[in-house]
Amino acid sequence: MNQTKHFLRIRDLGGREQAMNLLRRAKEMKENNTRSDLLAGKTLVMLFEKASTRTRLSFEVAVRHLGGSVIFMTPAESQLGRSEPLPDTARVISRYNDGIIVRTFGQEKLEELVRYGSVPVINALTDQGHPCQVMADVLTMYERTPDLAALRVAWIGDGNNMANSWIEAAMLFPFELTLAVPQGYDPDLNLFIEARDAGAKIRLTRNPAEAVAGANYINTDVWASMGQEAEQKKREQAFQGYIVDASTMCLAAPNAKFMHCLPVHRGEEVSAEVFESEASIVFDQAENRLHMQKAILEWAFSR
Ligand code: CP
Ligand code: NVA
């Protein structure tokens, strides 16, 4: 019997070899502008509890490129918004559809969908991780620098969902990752320790300059993620000194690139100058969401 494949976090891909295979396949699909009928006759539900531009569009396009169709669903327009439990919703979705792509708050909601549903579940962002984005970001580096082992990556700012997924990526890919995060805004420290013990080349510091020194790719993200809007002012205080600006980029390796998953707050986590500079590869990252997600869908749905 075939096992249903879920992509809740990067480690669900399996080991290093499977992760590299996915990267190669996404690159190939991009180069060939692949279309297929893998999802012909199949319908995937996109259950989104938070706003989205890139993830929604790139998944809708990816599913179409593979011959399938999607139904976009939000709590406000469904009985979820009137307190119908997620386990019931999961069982109903599974009776008509072939997969669930979900953007939500707690990771446990994905696990509930897996437990009660019977179709593949794909994480389109939770408070704990953003695996599709980080896989697209690794693809964006890999296109430029196929020798990932030669790379130094810096994460500057919040220890948020993106930071956690970068830590997971560092467990499967051989780049070096240094995170500079203010006190009180650490990533998932259990995950960090697990990754370090598993051999990931990762470090955590409070000093952005230390993380950026000699780095090839400089990553940041908003200081207040979706759901944390009320903390915006407090976070602006806490993240003073963590802006990526021209002086930050000067500390990086020659020809270093700036990365951001978007949407951006210009003048907060990154200066407008760096964001619009030649070093910025943010729209390549956004483009690669499509290609990586096609590869992820193929991974989840191939038999
Ligand atoms: N980067 C990202 O996930 O963007 P959206 O919130 O627009 O989907
Ligand atoms: N950390 C951000 C990423 C948005 C794509 C958030 O969760 O809002």
Side-chain angles (χ1 to χ4, degrees):
M1 207 176 88
N2 284 319
Q3 182 101 23
T4 305
K5 279 192 194 158
H6 306 285
F7 186 60
L8 307 194
R9 48 203 304 178
I10 289 177
R11 69 175 67 174
D12 290 341
L13 293 174
R16 287 165 187 253
E17 196 184 322
Q18 289 89 341
M20 273 314 297
N21 286 344
L22 192 76
L23 214 51
R24 287 191 207 102
R25 180 60 182 147
K27 185 165 181 283
E28 184 181 75
M29 290 178 104
K30 180 176 182 178
E31 283 161 3
N32 298 340
N33 195 12
T34 297
R35 301 289 193 277
S36 84
D37 58 5
L38 177 77
L39 299 179
K42 293 199 190 306
T43 308
L44 276 69
V45 165
M46 296 181 58
L47 177 58
F48 275 46
E49 297 199 87
K50 293 176 176 172
S52 173
T53 296
R54 280 143 290 270
T55 308
R56 176 179 179 177
L57 287 175
S58 54
F59 260 118
E60 291 208 16
V61 174
V63 171
R64 281 172 175 74
H65 281 192
L66 302 181
S69 48
V70 300
I71 296 172
F72 189 76
M73 192 174 150
T74 67
E77 293 153 3
S78 65
Q79 300 288 10
L80 273 170
R82 295 179 60 250
S83 306
E84 184 169 19
L86 196 58
D88 298 358
T89 309
R91 284 176 281 190
V92 171
I93 289 176
S94 297
R95 296 289 174 116
Y96 317 129
N97 298 282
D98 303 282
I100 312 175
I101 298 165
V102 53
R103 170 167 283 201
T104 188
F105 293 87
Q107 188 83 6
E108 69 284 352
K109 290 198 178 182
L110 301 189
E111 279 147 21
E112 214 165 31
L113 286 166
V114 166
R115 196 171 328 124
Y116 289 95
S118 53
V119 294
V121 176
I122 295 176
N123 181 354
L125 181 145
T126 63
D127 293 343
Q128 282 74 34
H130 197 2
C132 292
Q133 174 75 53
V134 171
M135 285 303 296
D137 295 347
V138 176
L139 171 64
T140 311
M141 299 193 308
Y142 177 65
E143 287 177 321
R144 288 175 171 73
T145 328
D147 181 11
L148 293 175
L151 290 185
R152 295 172 75 176
V153 180
W155 176 269
I156 311 297
D158 193 14
N160 62 13
N161 43 11
M162 284 290 300
N164 289 334
S165 289
W166 271 103
I167 292 169
E168 280 214 359
M171 290 171 87
L172 293 185
F173 297 106
F175 54 77
E176 204 180 289
L177 173 69
T178 306
L179 303 108
V181 177
Q183 185 96 42
Y185 296 92
D186 281 334
D188 178 341
L189 290 179
N190 290 330
L191 173 66
F192 182 87
I193 290 163
E194 187 187 347
R196 202 185 48 196
D197 291 350
K201 292 184 270 175
I202 51 175
R203 282 186 304 154
L204 186 59
T205 170
R206 305 284 173 225
N207 182 357
E210 190 187 321
V212 170
N216 308 99
Y217 292 91
I218 318 301
N219 265 279
T220 189
D221 187 12
V222 291
W223 292 338
S225 286
M226 288 182 277
Q228 298 171 334
E229 290 79 3
E231 296 176 27
Q232 177 70 31
K233 286 278 165 260
K234 186 180 108 189
R235 284 170 169 265
E236 279 173 25
Q237 292 297 317
F239 287 87
Q240 287 307 306
Y242 283 76
I243 186 171
V244 177
D245 59 15
S247 64
T248 321
M249 294 303 285
C250 282
L251 302 172
N255 204 27
K257 301 296 180 206
F258 171 74
M259 300 178 78
H260 193 305
C261 63
L262 305 180
V264 68
H265 288 172
R266 287 173 176 76
E268 277 181 38
E269 68 271 14
V270 58
S271 68
E273 183 190 6
V274 167
F275 185 80
E276 297 291 353
S277 72
E278 285 291 310
S280 175
I281 55 171
V282 298
F283 294 105
D284 293 337
Q285 293 173 253
E287 178 185 345
N288 281 339
R289 298 295 305 279
L290 169 64
H291 309 294
M292 178 46 74
Q293 283 154 202
K294 281 163 78 170
I296 291 168
L297 288 165
E298 195 180 74
W299 170 86
F301 286 92
S302 292
R303 290 284 171 255

Coordinates of all heavy atoms in Angstrom, one line a residue, residues 51-56 103 125 130 133 226 261-263 289, ligand 1:
A51 N -3.5 36.0 5.3 CA -3.3 36.6 4.0 C -2.2 36.0 3.2 O -1.3 35.4 3.8 CB -3.1 38.1 4.2
S52 N -2.2 36.1 1.9 CA -1.2 35.6 1.0 C -1.3 36.2 -0.4 O -2.4 36.3 -0.9 CB -1.2 34.1 0.9 OG -0.3 33.6 0.0
T53 N -0.1 36.5 -0.9 CA 0.0 36.9 -2.4 C 0.7 35.8 -3.1 O 0.2 35.1 -3.9 CB 0.6 38.2 -2.5 OG1 -0.2 39.2 -1.9 CG2 0.8 38.6 -4.0
R54 N 2.0 35.6 -2.7 CA 2.9 34.7 -3.4 C 2.5 33.3 -3.3 O 2.5 32.5 -4.3 CB 4.4 34.9 -2.9 CG 5.2 36.0 -3.4 CD 6.0 36.6 -2.3 NE 5.2 37.2 -1.4 CZ 4.9 38.5 -1.5 NH1 5.4 39.3 -2.4 NH2 4.0 39.1 -0.6
T55 N 2.3 32.8 -2.0 CA 2.0 31.4 -1.8 C 0.8 31.0 -2.5 O 0.7 29.9 -3.2 CB 2.0 31.2 -0.3 OG1 3.1 31.7 0.3 CG2 1.9 29.7 0.0
R56 N -0.3 31.8 -2.4 CA -1.5 31.5 -3.0 C -1.4 31.4 -4.6 O -1.7 30.4 -5.2 CB -2.6 32.5 -2.7 CG -3.9 32.2 -3.4 CD -5.0 33.1 -3.1 NE -6.2 32.8 -3.9 CZ -7.3 33.4 -3.8 NH1 -7.5 34.4 -2.9 NH2 -8.4 33.0 -4.5
R103 N -2.5 27.2 5.1 CA -1.7 28.3 5.8 C -2.5 28.6 7.1 O -3.7 29.0 7.0 CB -1.7 29.5 4.9 CG -1.2 30.8 5.6 CD -0.8 31.9 4.7 NE 0.5 31.6 4.1 CZ 1.3 32.6 3.6 NH1 0.9 33.8 3.6 NH2 2.4 32.3 3.0
L125 N 2.7 27.7 5.3 CA 3.1 28.6 6.4 C 2.3 28.4 7.7 O 1.1 28.3 7.6 CB 3.0 30.1 6.0 CG 3.4 31.2 7.0 CD1 4.1 32.4 6.4 CD2 2.3 31.6 8.0
H130 N 8.0 27.8 7.5 CA 7.5 28.1 6.2 C 8.4 27.3 5.2 O 9.2 27.9 4.5 CB 7.7 29.6 6.0 CG 6.9 30.2 4.8 ND1 6.1 29.4 4.0 CD2 6.8 31.5 4.3 CE1 5.6 30.2 3.1 NE2 6.0 31.4 3.2
Q133 N 8.7 28.1 1.3 CA 9.5 29.3 1.0 C 11.0 29.0 1.2 O 11.8 29.4 0.3 CB 9.1 30.4 2.0 CG 9.9 31.6 1.9 CD 9.6 32.5 0.7 OE1 8.5 32.8 0.5 NE2 10.6 32.8 -0.1
M226 N 2.6 37.8 10.7 CA 1.1 37.8 10.7 C 0.6 37.2 12.0 O 1.1 36.1 12.4 CB 0.6 36.9 9.5 CG 0.8 37.6 8.2 SD 0.1 36.7 6.8 CE 1.5 35.6 6.4
C261 N 11.8 36.9 2.1 CA 10.7 36.1 1.6 C 9.6 37.0 1.1 O 8.7 36.5 0.3 CB 10.2 35.1 2.6 SG 9.5 35.9 4.1
L262 N 9.5 38.2 1.5 CA 8.4 39.2 1.2 C 7.1 38.8 1.8 O 6.9 37.6 2.0 CB 8.3 39.3 -0.4 CG 9.5 39.7 -1.1 CD1 9.2 39.7 -2.6 CD2 10.1 41.0 -0.7
P263 N 6.2 39.7 2.1 CA 6.3 41.1 1.9 C 7.3 41.8 2.8 O 7.5 41.3 3.9 CB 4.9 41.6 2.1 CG 4.3 40.7 3.0 CD 4.9 39.3 2.7
R289 N 9.2 30.2 -6.0 CA 8.2 29.5 -5.2 C 7.4 28.6 -6.2 O 7.0 27.5 -5.8 CB 7.2 30.6 -4.7 CG 7.8 31.5 -3.6 CD 8.2 30.8 -2.4 NE 7.1 30.0 -1.8 CZ 6.2 30.5 -1.0 NH1 6.2 31.8 -0.7 NH2 5.3 29.7 -0.5
Ligands
CP1 N1 6.5 34.8 1.1 C1 5.2 34.5 1.2 O1 4.8 33.5 1.7 O2 4.4 35.5 0.7 P1 2.8 35.5 0.8 O3 2.5 35.8 2.3 O4 2.4 36.7 -0.1 O5 2.3 34.2 0.4

